[in-house]
Amino acid sequence: MAKIIVVTSGKGGVGKTTTSAAIGTGLALNGFKTVVIDFDVGLRNLDLIMGCERRVVYDFVNVIKEEATLNQALIKDKRTDNLFILPASQTRDKDALTQEGVEKVLDELSETFDYIICDSPAGIEKGAQMALYFADVAIVTTNPEVSSVRDSDRILGILQSKSRRAENGDSPVEEHLLLTRYNPTRVEDGEMLSVADVEDILAIPLLGVIPESEAVLKASNAGVPVILDTEADAGQAYDDAVQRLLGKELEHRFLQVPKKGFFQRILGGR
Amino acid sequence: MSFFDYFRSNKKPTSAELAKERLQIIVAHERGKRTNPDYLPKMQQEIIDVIKKYVSIDQDKVSVQLDSNEDCSVLEVNVTLPD
């Protein structure tokens, strides 16, 4: 039985796809057979972030409509063993994802995979509802910014009332907060909500804090999940988050303004 | 923050503090609404329509509120009748 993880947020542009790619890769690196599914029908982007856009032949909707088998549609990652991608369709048909169709695909994947990561589209429409409906675990990706925090709270409400677990009266979806684009300098200056502020408002356990980092754009430029950039703070922060997801207890890093060394202070620079 | 700011008594809140305060208010408000059943707005409208049949009242002079405690829910309908 696979564990189904939804990466969701409500608001767009907060880093859902970046997070799905990074967490999926991280789980695969730890030896778990993992598939990342793009639920953003019509606006497929996971393939670009993971660098397999030229290898897409069939997609999620083809599988649901039985125009292709799952094995034909799954793309095996070239860099990381145990990692597969199921791309979204570029169709403009909004109703392409049906609950029965999604369930069938997830059930089939569940037989052979350890983790299924559902990369949710923004908003609270059908695609987002389908992405979270079957989840066992939710990673609520949030920026330290008012609209993102409010939308995350809204999504938490939906997880607690509209997910399969909620409808069946099972144990609730396990909720995790992932704070992304965090800038400790601005927090120190009182210009950005702190980790504690966001935790206070959303009141769910913190999975990780990803610092605002140049490495993220560089990684997406190259189509390499940022977790593979082991030198970068963001890559390391994602790796920590994966370890915590697997049950390890690690202290949160990158929350303080990095102290400048003696030479840096004299010579300037960042 | 400059050295003299430490001696000022009425410090202006930082923008992050402002953000947190605004969020706490709106999130609490929206969470309160979340537990309301879907039929509430329609029922509210129908109650108002019934009252209107007998008394001429303004729409905004009526408030309908549902409070849920542990074992019972209280539906409160507050109508301000004209003099």
Side-chain angles (χ1 to χ4, degrees):
Chain A
M1 260 311 265
K3 209 171 210 183
I4 303 177
I5 302 179
V6 60
V7 177
T8 183
S9 71
K11 192 176 179 297
V14 297
K16 282 183 297 297
T17 302
T18 301
T19 298
S20 300
I23 301 271
T25 305
L27 289 168
L29 284 173
N30 279 276
F32 296 100
K33 196 172 175 197
T34 305
V35 55
V36 190
I37 308 178
D38 191 347
F39 273 78
D40 204 346
V41 170
L43 293 168
R44 157 166 94 208
N45 272 321
L46 179 72
D47 54 342
L48 265 182
I49 299 300
M50 306 215 23
C52 61
E53 68 277 8
R54 294 175 60 184
R55 294 165 59 211
V56 176
V57 183
Y58 294 110
D59 58 57
F60 194 11
V61 172
N62 288 139
V63 180
I64 288 177
K65 290 188 171 164
E66 296 183 346
E67 295 159 354
T69 66
L70 202 43
N71 276 328
Q72 284 177 302
L74 283 175
I75 302 172
K76 191 180 182 319
D77 193 85
K78 282 204 166 147
R79 293 181 207 92
T80 313
D81 279 343
N82 305 317
L83 183 60
F84 293 80
I85 297 111
L86 185 56
S89 154
Q90 286 291 44
T91 172
R92 286 161 68 183
D93 175 14
K94 270 176 131 187
D95 299 315
L97 293 183
T98 59
Q99 187 161 309
E100 299 74 36
V102 173
E103 183 169 21
K104 223 182 83 198
V105 174
L106 292 181
D107 281 347
E108 197 178 335
L109 288 169
S110 223
E111 288 167 17
T112 47
F113 283 89
D114 298 311
Y115 284 99
I116 301 172
I117 313 280
C118 303
D119 180 19
S120 171
I124 50 173
E125 297 291 312
K126 188 90 183 276
Q129 286 173 22
M130 283 299 105
L132 69 77
Y133 185 75
F134 298 97
D136 302 307
V137 178
I139 298 178
V140 181
T141 312
T142 309
N143 289 170
E145 180 268 331
V146 285
S147 49
S148 174
V149 176
R150 180 202 211 170
D151 290 357
S152 291
D153 192 69
R154 189 85 203 279
I155 283 290
L156 287 170
I158 294 173
L159 280 164
Q160 289 155 13
S161 61
K162 303 268 163 69
S163 61
R164 177 166 66 176
R165 282 173 169 274
E167 283 182 1
N168 291 353
D170 297 337
S171 60
V173 178
E174 197 182 304
E175 297 158 342
H176 295 281
L177 171 64
L178 186 77
L179 202 56
T180 55
R181 307 197 71 165
Y182 195 69
N183 187 331
T185 310
R186 301 199 72 180
V187 172
E188 200 163 84
D189 292 345
E191 292 175 359
M192 184 181 266
L193 290 164
S194 69
V195 187
D197 291 341
V198 181
E199 277 186 286
D200 236 21
I201 293 162
L202 294 180
I204 57 172
L206 182 67
L207 180 70
V209 180
I210 312 300
E212 169 115 80
S213 167
E214 292 174 0
V216 175
L217 181 60
K218 274 196 222 162
S220 80
N221 285 342
V224 181
V226 70
I227 197 169
L228 294 175
D229 188 347
T230 50
E231 303 278 297
D233 46 1
Q236 294 171 12
Y238 270 118
D239 192 49
D240 285 5
V242 169
Q243 297 307 324
R244 288 190 200 102
L245 204 56
L246 294 172
K248 257 198 197 160
E249 283 184 28
L250 294 175
E251 214 171 305
H252 290 280
R253 294 194 276 171
F254 314 111
L255 305 185
Q256 306 300 329
V257 179
K259 290 208 174 63
K260 282 185 177 176
F262 177 70
F263 285 108
Q264 250 180 321
R265 236 181 283 178
I266 291 175
L267 300 171
R270 284 171 297 177
Chain B
M1 201 193 279
S2 85
F3 175 72
F4 290 104
D5 285 347
Y6 286 102
F7 298 103
R8 261 193 228 154
S9 54
N10 52 345
K11 263 190 283 169
K12 257 172 110 188
T14 64
S15 66
E17 284 165 350
L18 212 60
K20 188 180 181 186
E21 200 185 307
R22 290 174 61 219
L23 269 171
Q24 276 172 328
I25 294 167
I26 191 68
V27 164
H29 178 73
E30 286 174 344
R31 277 185 196 156
K33 272 191 176 168
R34 201 186 283 164
T35 49
N36 283 355
D38 295 339
Y39 59 75
L40 201 67
K42 192 157 179 262
M43 188 173 75
Q44 174 167 357
Q45 189 54 49
E46 283 177 16
I47 291 172
I48 291 169
D49 290 343
V50 169
I51 297 171
K52 267 190 180 162
K53 255 168 69 179
Y54 299 94
V55 196
S56 91
I57 48 162
D58 281 337
Q59 187 94 8
D60 54 345
K61 292 279 161 62
V62 182
S63 79
V64 178
Q65 218 168 351
L66 185 71
D67 290 316
S68 305
N69 295 326
E70 270 164 35
D71 50 355
C72 74
S73 301
V74 178
L75 181 73
E76 187 184 305
V77 182
N78 213 321
V79 187
T80 313
L81 295 172
D83 296 327

